[in-house]
Amino acid sequence: MARVALVTGGTRGIGAEISIALQTAGRTVVATYASNDQAAEAFSKVTGIKVYRFNAAKFEECSDALKKIVAEVGPIEILVNNAGITRDGTLQKMDRDMWDAVIDTNLGSCYNLCKLTFDSMRNAKFGRIVSIGSVNGQAGQYGQVNYAAAKSGIHGFTKALAQEGARFGITVNAIAPGYVDTEMVRAVPPEVLQKIIARIPVGRLGKPTDISRGVVFLTADDCDFVTGSTLSINGGQHMY
Ligand code: CAA
């Protein structure tokens, strides 16, 4: 039986590429999304991947959805915490809602999904968890105190949970992407983005496949000695 992989925010951007890569690797993939029905339906139609709509930032919604997913598809053995948003602005202009939205979606969702899948992974004596952090969680970024804090939180969360999962065959890792060519990055003002690209030694934005290949590596059945690590995939922008 193929193992079941769940990818939050798995119907668009980097998440969509991760869903496809895991499917290609032989996993039964479930992709979740928060609101864009049209994109999710189109993605599901092209890939055949089942999609489920719920807000990963809300524990109750996650809990209800997980019950349904487990009943319809099976227990989750591979979890990719990819759901993420930006609400950029200097601290001066950042109101509390911008802070809460990013912390709850980018970091709170990791708690929600891990909490709801960890027990069954423990019972199965197998689990693979990969959370998508960011170069901006490692290095900081002007205008992103919320995003940098959430992504940096993911890196700490990963190291702590890795210690709890190790004796149950559960590995917990993070990937810290650099600037990848997605809608999120295209929303950065062009003059700012040009300066950022100029600081990437490889000289280009990342591609979603640069990230998905890392997820396939970290979630492989025999990748059982890599845990608590953060894999930087950033074209050399930040060497950690
Ligand atoms: N360092 C120091 N000063 C900076 C700066 C920087 N990096 N960037 C801007 N400033 C300065 C500006 O020069 C300007 O100074 P003056 O007023 O003296 O000219 C001042 O700060 C205000 O700058 P802005 O006019 O840009 O301010 P704004 O409020 O209009 O916009 C911002 C601020 C929204 C943060 C905008 O600069 C921005 O969008 N920056 C990009 C943020 C970013 O990289 N986001 C990443 C999104 S993608 C992602 O997050 C994925 C991932 O994981 C990598």
Side-chain angles (χ1 to χ4, degrees):
M1 273 275 280
R3 295 193 191 276
V4 178
L6 183 146
V7 184
T8 63
T11 63
R12 292 193 298 137
I14 293 175
E17 204 57 53
I18 292 170
S19 297
I20 292 165
L22 289 174
Q23 184 187 50
T24 305
R27 310 310 196 174
T28 297
V29 179
V30 168
T32 82
Y33 68 103
S35 59
N36 191 334
D37 291 320
Q38 214 181 348
E41 278 158 27
F43 172 79
S44 185
K45 203 167 166 193
V46 171
T47 60
I49 290 173
K50 276 191 142 191
V51 296
Y52 289 85
R53 177 177 170 153
F54 63 92
N55 185 346
K58 306 250 188 259
F59 187 79
E60 290 306 324
E61 282 192 37
C62 294
S63 176
D64 292 346
L66 257 293
K67 281 183 199 131
K68 192 163 178 242
I69 293 166
V70 171
E72 290 179 3
V73 189
I76 310 303
E77 292 181 292
I78 299 165
L79 169 65
V80 184
N81 292 308
N82 165 75
I85 58 170
T86 51
R87 296 285 183 274
D88 291 352
T90 54
L91 181 67
Q92 207 178 20
K93 294 181 190 164
M94 186 181 293
D95 60 32
R96 182 67 201 210
D97 287 347
M98 294 162 79
W99 170 265
D100 287 340
V102 170
I103 297 293
D104 291 351
T105 302
N106 298 13
L107 182 58
S109 63
C110 295
Y111 168 83
N112 294 342
L113 275 301
C114 288
K115 175 79 178 165
L116 292 164
T117 55
F118 207 70
D119 276 354
S120 72
M121 290 183 190
R122 268 176 62 135
N123 292 338
K125 292 268 186 291
F126 178 90
R128 296 282 177 269
I129 297 173
V130 178
S131 302
I132 304 301
S134 169
V135 64
N136 293 349
Q138 297 170 313
Q141 169 62 36
Y142 187 99
Q144 281 201 312
V145 295
N146 50 3
Y147 188 88
K151 293 297 189 177
S152 178
I154 285 179
H155 300 145
F157 178 94
T158 295
K159 291 178 209 175
L161 192 60
Q163 295 178 33
E164 296 181 23
R167 66 199 164 99
F168 301 103
I170 304 169
T171 65
V172 188
N173 291 289
I175 290 180
Y179 281 71
V180 178
D181 190 8
T182 59
E183 264 175 54
M184 184 186 273
V185 165
R186 275 177 240 129
V188 173
E191 64 286 2
V192 178
L193 191 56
Q194 278 320 312
K195 285 188 196 151
I196 290 169
I197 296 172
R199 295 201 308 266
I200 303 174
V202 166
R204 65 165 174 86
L205 292 175
K207 301 189 290 275
T209 49
D210 293 324
I211 310 306
S212 61
R213 108 168 17 105
V215 175
V216 170
F217 165 71
L218 290 170
T219 56
D221 282 18
D222 58 359
C223 189
D224 56 2
F225 203 62
V226 182
T227 196
S229 73
T230 294
L231 176 59
S232 295
I233 306 181
N234 62 26
Q237 184 186 341
H238 179 68
M239 302 185 189
Y240 200 62

mmCIF file of all heavy atoms in Angstrom, residues 191-230:
data_model
loop_
_atom_site.group_PDB
_atom_site.id
_atom_site.type_symbol
_atom_site.label_atom_id
_atom_site.label_comp_id
_atom_site.label_asym_id
_atom_site.label_seq_id
_atom_site.Cartn_x
_atom_site.Cartn_y
_atom_site.Cartn_z
ATOM 1 N N GLU A 191 11.577 46.532 -8.040
ATOM 2 C CA GLU A 191 12.897 47.133 -7.769
ATOM 3 C C GLU A 191 13.540 46.473 -6.542
ATOM 4 O O GLU A 191 14.760 46.308 -6.490
ATOM 5 C CB GLU A 191 12.800 48.669 -7.631
ATOM 6 C CG GLU A 191 11.978 49.206 -6.465
ATOM 7 C CD GLU A 191 10.443 49.097 -6.608
ATOM 8 O OE1 GLU A 191 9.954 48.559 -7.622
ATOM 9 O OE2 GLU A 191 9.743 49.528 -5.667
ATOM 10 N N VAL A 192 12.704 46.048 -5.590
ATOM 11 C CA VAL A 192 13.238 45.345 -4.400
ATOM 12 C C VAL A 192 13.715 43.959 -4.815
ATOM 13 O O VAL A 192 14.793 43.496 -4.442
ATOM 14 C CB VAL A 192 12.151 45.236 -3.287
ATOM 15 C CG1 VAL A 192 12.686 44.460 -2.083
ATOM 16 C CG2 VAL A 192 11.657 46.615 -2.852
ATOM 17 N N LEU A 193 12.901 43.296 -5.632
ATOM 18 C CA LEU A 193 13.232 41.924 -6.050
ATOM 19 C C LEU A 193 14.535 41.892 -6.857
ATOM 20 O O LEU A 193 15.361 40.989 -6.680
ATOM 21 C CB LEU A 193 12.064 41.339 -6.869
ATOM 22 C CG LEU A 193 12.147 39.845 -7.157
ATOM 23 C CD1 LEU A 193 12.268 39.023 -5.880
ATOM 24 C CD2 LEU A 193 10.927 39.382 -7.957
ATOM 25 N N GLN A 194 14.731 42.878 -7.707
ATOM 26 C CA GLN A 194 15.966 42.930 -8.504
ATOM 27 C C GLN A 194 17.192 42.971 -7.584
ATOM 28 O O GLN A 194 18.192 42.299 -7.834
ATOM 29 C CB GLN A 194 15.971 44.157 -9.435
ATOM 30 C CG GLN A 194 15.193 43.946 -10.731
ATOM 31 C CD GLN A 194 15.390 42.552 -11.338
ATOM 32 O OE1 GLN A 194 16.510 42.065 -11.480
ATOM 33 N NE2 GLN A 194 14.285 41.882 -11.683
ATOM 34 N N LYS A 195 17.082 43.759 -6.516
ATOM 35 C CA LYS A 195 18.221 43.854 -5.571
ATOM 36 C C LYS A 195 18.447 42.520 -4.875
ATOM 37 O O LYS A 195 19.586 42.123 -4.619
ATOM 38 C CB LYS A 195 17.934 44.935 -4.516
ATOM 39 C CG LYS A 195 18.091 46.341 -5.049
ATOM 40 C CD LYS A 195 17.985 47.341 -3.897
ATOM 41 C CE LYS A 195 17.748 48.745 -4.452
ATOM 42 N NZ LYS A 195 16.997 49.613 -3.561
ATOM 43 N N ILE A 196 17.347 41.827 -4.569
ATOM 44 C CA ILE A 196 17.484 40.527 -3.889
ATOM 45 C C ILE A 196 18.144 39.521 -4.833
ATOM 46 O O ILE A 196 19.089 38.813 -4.454
ATOM 47 C CB ILE A 196 16.104 40.031 -3.404
ATOM 48 C CG1 ILE A 196 15.607 40.916 -2.243
ATOM 49 C CG2 ILE A 196 16.176 38.561 -2.967
ATOM 50 C CD1 ILE A 196 14.158 40.713 -1.847
ATOM 51 N N ILE A 197 17.690 39.478 -6.083
ATOM 52 C CA ILE A 197 18.264 38.521 -7.047
ATOM 53 C C ILE A 197 19.761 38.809 -7.234
ATOM 54 O O ILE A 197 20.576 37.888 -7.349
ATOM 55 C CB ILE A 197 17.509 38.562 -8.394
ATOM 56 C CG1 ILE A 197 16.060 38.099 -8.192
ATOM 57 C CG2 ILE A 197 18.212 37.686 -9.450
ATOM 58 C CD1 ILE A 197 15.154 38.260 -9.402
ATOM 59 N N ALA A 198 20.111 40.083 -7.217
ATOM 60 C CA ALA A 198 21.529 40.447 -7.384
ATOM 61 C C ALA A 198 22.399 39.876 -6.262
ATOM 62 O O ALA A 198 23.608 39.724 -6.432
ATOM 63 C CB ALA A 198 21.666 41.970 -7.434
ATOM 64 N N ARG A 199 21.762 39.538 -5.131
ATOM 65 C CA ARG A 199 22.537 38.980 -4.001
ATOM 66 C C ARG A 199 22.528 37.448 -3.981
ATOM 67 O O ARG A 199 23.027 36.831 -3.047
ATOM 68 C CB ARG A 199 21.987 39.510 -2.671
ATOM 69 C CG ARG A 199 22.157 41.009 -2.477
ATOM 70 C CD ARG A 199 22.095 41.391 -0.998
ATOM 71 N NE ARG A 199 20.914 40.850 -0.348
ATOM 72 C CZ ARG A 199 19.745 41.508 -0.194
ATOM 73 N NH1 ARG A 199 19.628 42.732 -0.656
ATOM 74 N NH2 ARG A 199 18.723 40.951 0.418
ATOM 75 N N ILE A 200 21.926 36.824 -5.006
ATOM 76 C CA ILE A 200 21.900 35.351 -5.054
ATOM 77 C C ILE A 200 23.073 34.881 -5.923
ATOM 78 O O ILE A 200 23.068 35.116 -7.138
ATOM 79 C CB ILE A 200 20.563 34.831 -5.638
ATOM 80 C CG1 ILE A 200 19.373 35.360 -4.809
ATOM 81 C CG2 ILE A 200 20.553 33.297 -5.696
ATOM 82 C CD1 ILE A 200 18.000 35.022 -5.383
ATOM 83 N N PRO A 201 24.076 34.232 -5.332
ATOM 84 C CA PRO A 201 25.261 33.843 -6.115
ATOM 85 C C PRO A 201 24.938 33.049 -7.377
ATOM 86 O O PRO A 201 25.584 33.225 -8.410
ATOM 87 C CB PRO A 201 26.084 33.025 -5.123
ATOM 88 C CG PRO A 201 25.717 33.588 -3.792
ATOM 89 C CD PRO A 201 24.249 33.933 -3.890
ATOM 90 N N VAL A 202 23.931 32.172 -7.309
ATOM 91 C CA VAL A 202 23.595 31.369 -8.492
ATOM 92 C C VAL A 202 22.960 32.251 -9.587
ATOM 93 O O VAL A 202 22.914 31.867 -10.756
ATOM 94 C CB VAL A 202 22.688 30.179 -8.062
ATOM 95 C CG1 VAL A 202 22.028 29.508 -9.235
ATOM 96 C CG2 VAL A 202 23.526 29.144 -7.290
ATOM 97 N N GLY A 203 22.485 33.412 -9.218
ATOM 98 C CA GLY A 203 22.060 34.398 -10.207
ATOM 99 C C GLY A 203 20.638 34.257 -10.719
ATOM 100 O O GLY A 203 20.286 34.827 -11.751
ATOM 101 N N ARG A 204 19.820 33.495 -10.034
ATOM 102 C CA ARG A 204 18.429 33.351 -10.468
ATOM 103 C C ARG A 204 17.548 33.034 -9.276
ATOM 104 O O ARG A 204 18.048 32.657 -8.211
ATOM 105 C CB ARG A 204 18.295 32.223 -11.502
ATOM 106 C CG ARG A 204 18.622 30.834 -10.958
ATOM 107 C CD ARG A 204 18.138 29.727 -11.883
ATOM 108 N NE ARG A 204 18.552 28.393 -11.461
ATOM 109 C CZ ARG A 204 17.898 27.623 -10.587
ATOM 110 N NH1 ARG A 204 16.790 28.058 -10.009
ATOM 111 N NH2 ARG A 204 18.338 26.412 -10.274
ATOM 112 N N LEU A 205 16.241 33.188 -9.490
ATOM 113 C CA LEU A 205 15.281 32.711 -8.496
ATOM 114 C C LEU A 205 15.280 31.194 -8.516
ATOM 115 O O LEU A 205 15.621 30.579 -9.539
ATOM 116 C CB LEU A 205 13.876 33.216 -8.841
ATOM 117 C CG LEU A 205 13.628 34.720 -8.709
ATOM 118 C CD1 LEU A 205 12.227 35.059 -9.212
ATOM 119 C CD2 LEU A 205 13.803 35.192 -7.264
ATOM 120 N N GLY A 206 14.840 30.605 -7.412
ATOM 121 C CA GLY A 206 14.678 29.156 -7.398
ATOM 122 C C GLY A 206 13.453 28.744 -8.200
ATOM 123 O O GLY A 206 12.573 29.565 -8.494
ATOM 124 N N LYS A 207 13.409 27.483 -8.565
ATOM 125 C CA LYS A 207 12.220 26.904 -9.210
ATOM 126 C C LYS A 207 11.522 26.025 -8.168
ATOM 127 O O LYS A 207 12.187 25.425 -7.319
ATOM 128 C CB LYS A 207 12.624 26.031 -10.407
ATOM 129 C CG LYS A 207 13.396 26.764 -11.486
ATOM 130 C CD LYS A 207 13.586 25.925 -12.726
ATOM 131 C CE LYS A 207 14.553 24.767 -12.550
ATOM 132 N NZ LYS A 207 15.950 25.019 -12.722
ATOM 133 N N PRO A 208 10.200 25.905 -8.237
ATOM 134 C CA PRO A 208 9.512 25.026 -7.281
ATOM 135 C C PRO A 208 10.103 23.615 -7.239
ATOM 136 O O PRO A 208 10.177 23.001 -6.176
ATOM 137 C CB PRO A 208 8.063 25.044 -7.776
ATOM 138 C CG PRO A 208 7.918 26.410 -8.391
ATOM 139 C CD PRO A 208 9.240 26.667 -9.072
ATOM 140 N N THR A 209 10.584 23.121 -8.379
ATOM 141 C CA THR A 209 11.172 21.770 -8.377
ATOM 142 C C THR A 209 12.486 21.701 -7.578
ATOM 143 O O THR A 209 12.867 20.633 -7.102
ATOM 144 C CB THR A 209 11.436 21.261 -9.816
ATOM 145 O OG1 THR A 209 12.130 22.292 -10.514
ATOM 146 C CG2 THR A 209 10.162 20.908 -10.537
ATOM 147 N N ASP A 210 13.167 22.842 -7.432
ATOM 148 C CA ASP A 210 14.383 22.845 -6.597
ATOM 149 C C ASP A 210 14.018 22.468 -5.158
ATOM 150 O O ASP A 210 14.814 21.867 -4.434
ATOM 151 C CB ASP A 210 15.042 24.240 -6.586
ATOM 152 C CG ASP A 210 15.603 24.629 -7.951
ATOM 153 O OD1 ASP A 210 16.111 23.751 -8.654
ATOM 154 O OD2 ASP A 210 15.524 25.829 -8.299
ATOM 155 N N ILE A 211 12.815 22.863 -4.744
ATOM 156 C CA ILE A 211 12.369 22.592 -3.376
ATOM 157 C C ILE A 211 11.741 21.189 -3.269
ATOM 158 O O ILE A 211 12.018 20.435 -2.336
ATOM 159 C CB ILE A 211 11.330 23.655 -2.926
ATOM 160 C CG1 ILE A 211 11.841 25.079 -3.204
ATOM 161 C CG2 ILE A 211 10.987 23.456 -1.440
ATOM 162 C CD1 ILE A 211 13.196 25.427 -2.620
ATOM 163 N N SER A 212 10.921 20.841 -4.257
ATOM 164 C CA SER A 212 10.201 19.562 -4.144
ATOM 165 C C SER A 212 11.166 18.382 -4.134
ATOM 166 O O SER A 212 10.925 17.368 -3.479
ATOM 167 C CB SER A 212 9.180 19.416 -5.285
ATOM 168 O OG SER A 212 9.806 19.420 -6.534
ATOM 169 N N ARG A 213 12.282 18.547 -4.824
ATOM 170 C CA ARG A 213 13.252 17.426 -4.830
ATOM 171 C C ARG A 213 13.824 17.215 -3.424
ATOM 172 O O ARG A 213 14.094 16.091 -3.011
ATOM 173 C CB ARG A 213 14.276 17.687 -5.922
ATOM 174 C CG ARG A 213 15.629 18.072 -5.587
ATOM 175 C CD ARG A 213 16.629 18.022 -6.762
ATOM 176 N NE ARG A 213 16.071 17.987 -8.091
ATOM 177 C CZ ARG A 213 16.048 19.019 -8.934
ATOM 178 N NH1 ARG A 213 16.537 20.188 -8.573
ATOM 179 N NH2 ARG A 213 15.546 18.882 -10.139
ATOM 180 N N GLY A 214 13.967 18.289 -2.666
ATOM 181 C CA GLY A 214 14.423 18.168 -1.278
ATOM 182 C C GLY A 214 13.397 17.447 -0.423
ATOM 183 O O GLY A 214 13.746 16.638 0.445
ATOM 184 N N VAL A 215 12.118 17.713 -0.675
ATOM 185 C CA VAL A 215 11.056 17.051 0.101
ATOM 186 C C VAL A 215 11.052 15.548 -0.202
ATOM 187 O O VAL A 215 10.921 14.722 0.707
ATOM 188 C CB VAL A 215 9.673 17.673 -0.205
ATOM 189 C CG1 VAL A 215 8.572 16.907 0.509
ATOM 190 C CG2 VAL A 215 9.643 19.145 0.193
ATOM 191 N N VAL A 216 11.210 15.202 -1.465
ATOM 192 C CA VAL A 216 11.231 13.774 -1.830
ATOM 193 C C VAL A 216 12.396 13.078 -1.116
ATOM 194 O O VAL A 216 12.245 11.985 -0.557
ATOM 195 C CB VAL A 216 11.329 13.597 -3.368
ATOM 196 C CG1 VAL A 216 11.586 12.141 -3.737
ATOM 197 C CG2 VAL A 216 10.050 14.104 -4.024
ATOM 198 N N PHE A 217 13.533 13.731 -1.089
ATOM 199 C CA PHE A 217 14.706 13.162 -0.403
ATOM 200 C C PHE A 217 14.414 12.948 1.089
ATOM 201 O O PHE A 217 14.606 11.850 1.633
ATOM 202 C CB PHE A 217 15.917 14.095 -0.588
ATOM 203 C CG PHE A 217 17.064 13.802 0.345
ATOM 204 C CD1 PHE A 217 17.842 12.665 0.184
ATOM 205 C CD2 PHE A 217 17.371 14.668 1.391
ATOM 206 C CE1 PHE A 217 18.891 12.388 1.048
ATOM 207 C CE2 PHE A 217 18.411 14.402 2.262
ATOM 208 C CZ PHE A 217 19.174 13.257 2.092
ATOM 209 N N LEU A 218 13.903 13.981 1.742
ATOM 210 C CA LEU A 218 13.714 13.907 3.203
ATOM 211 C C LEU A 218 12.576 12.981 3.619
ATOM 212 O O LEU A 218 12.509 12.572 4.784
ATOM 213 C CB LEU A 218 13.465 15.315 3.776
ATOM 214 C CG LEU A 218 14.671 16.257 3.756
ATOM 215 C CD1 LEU A 218 14.250 17.681 4.112
ATOM 216 C CD2 LEU A 218 15.766 15.778 4.712
ATOM 217 N N THR A 219 11.678 12.666 2.698
ATOM 218 C CA THR A 219 10.540 11.817 3.061
ATOM 219 C C THR A 219 10.694 10.378 2.566
ATOM 220 O O THR A 219 9.786 9.556 2.747
ATOM 221 C CB THR A 219 9.211 12.398 2.500
ATOM 222 O OG1 THR A 219 9.340 12.551 1.082
ATOM 223 C CG2 THR A 219 8.877 13.736 3.141
ATOM 224 N N ALA A 220 11.826 10.075 1.952
ATOM 225 C CA ALA A 220 12.031 8.712 1.460
ATOM 226 C C ALA A 220 12.002 7.723 2.630
ATOM 227 O O ALA A 220 12.438 8.056 3.745
ATOM 228 C CB ALA A 220 13.374 8.619 0.734
ATOM 229 N N ASP A 221 11.505 6.519 2.374
ATOM 230 C CA ASP A 221 11.427 5.513 3.444
ATOM 231 C C ASP A 221 12.787 5.252 4.084
ATOM 232 O O ASP A 221 12.888 5.040 5.296
ATOM 233 C CB ASP A 221 10.874 4.192 2.887
ATOM 234 C CG ASP A 221 9.367 4.238 2.707
ATOM 235 O OD1 ASP A 221 8.805 5.355 2.669
ATOM 236 O OD2 ASP A 221 8.747 3.160 2.607
ATOM 237 N N ASP A 222 13.838 5.242 3.259
ATOM 238 C CA ASP A 222 15.157 4.898 3.798
ATOM 239 C C ASP A 222 15.950 6.130 4.261
ATOM 240 O O ASP A 222 17.101 6.021 4.639
ATOM 241 C CB ASP A 222 15.962 4.068 2.786
ATOM 242 C CG ASP A 222 16.155 4.780 1.461
ATOM 243 O OD1 ASP A 222 15.651 5.922 1.316
ATOM 244 O OD2 ASP A 222 16.801 4.214 0.561
ATOM 245 N N CYS A 223 15.317 7.291 4.250
ATOM 246 C CA CYS A 223 15.995 8.500 4.748
ATOM 247 C C CYS A 223 15.692 8.621 6.243
ATOM 248 O O CYS A 223 14.982 9.517 6.689
ATOM 249 C CB CYS A 223 15.506 9.730 3.995
ATOM 250 S SG CYS A 223 16.465 11.208 4.376
ATOM 251 N N ASP A 224 16.236 7.688 7.022
ATOM 252 C CA ASP A 224 15.842 7.609 8.431
ATOM 253 C C ASP A 224 16.931 8.053 9.399
ATOM 254 O O ASP A 224 16.788 7.916 10.613
ATOM 255 C CB ASP A 224 15.373 6.186 8.775
ATOM 256 C CG ASP A 224 16.418 5.137 8.445
ATOM 257 O OD1 ASP A 224 17.527 5.504 7.980
ATOM 258 O OD2 ASP A 224 16.142 3.933 8.630
ATOM 259 N N PHE A 225 18.013 8.606 8.862
ATOM 260 C CA PHE A 225 19.089 9.078 9.744
ATOM 261 C C PHE A 225 19.248 10.595 9.670
ATOM 262 O O PHE A 225 20.120 11.174 10.289
ATOM 263 C CB PHE A 225 20.402 8.361 9.380
ATOM 264 C CG PHE A 225 21.400 8.336 10.513
ATOM 265 C CD1 PHE A 225 21.120 7.689 11.716
ATOM 266 C CD2 PHE A 225 22.630 8.974 10.380
ATOM 267 C CE1 PHE A 225 22.039 7.669 12.751
ATOM 268 C CE2 PHE A 225 23.568 8.957 11.417
ATOM 269 C CZ PHE A 225 23.271 8.306 12.607
ATOM 270 N N VAL A 226 18.399 11.227 8.869
ATOM 271 C CA VAL A 226 18.412 12.689 8.783
ATOM 272 C C VAL A 226 17.223 13.179 9.570
ATOM 273 O O VAL A 226 16.074 12.956 9.182
ATOM 274 C CB VAL A 226 18.275 13.182 7.320
ATOM 275 C CG1 VAL A 226 18.339 14.711 7.270
ATOM 276 C CG2 VAL A 226 19.333 12.565 6.430
ATOM 277 N N THR A 227 17.457 13.818 10.705
ATOM 278 C CA THR A 227 16.331 14.368 11.469
ATOM 279 C C THR A 227 16.790 15.587 12.253
ATOM 280 O O THR A 227 17.959 15.698 12.632
ATOM 281 C CB THR A 227 15.665 13.292 12.365
ATOM 282 O OG1 THR A 227 14.385 13.791 12.781
ATOM 283 C CG2 THR A 227 16.501 12.932 13.589
ATOM 284 N N GLY A 228 15.875 16.526 12.417
ATOM 285 C CA GLY A 228 16.183 17.766 13.127
ATOM 286 C C GLY A 228 17.016 18.730 12.300
ATOM 287 O O GLY A 228 17.558 19.690 12.816
ATOM 288 N N SER A 229 17.086 18.477 10.994
ATOM 289 C CA SER A 229 17.951 19.320 10.167
ATOM 290 C C SER A 229 17.121 20.326 9.361
ATOM 291 O O SER A 229 15.930 20.145 9.156
ATOM 292 C CB SER A 229 18.770 18.455 9.208
ATOM 293 O OG SER A 229 17.935 17.971 8.190
ATOM 294 N N THR A 230 17.807 21.356 8.940
ATOM 295 C CA THR A 230 17.194 22.320 8.016
ATOM 296 C C THR A 230 18.033 22.319 6.749
ATOM 297 O O THR A 230 19.230 22.600 6.788
ATOM 298 C CB THR A 230 17.168 23.738 8.629
ATOM 299 O OG1 THR A 230 16.296 23.732 9.757
ATOM 300 C CG2 THR A 230 16.657 24.754 7.624
#
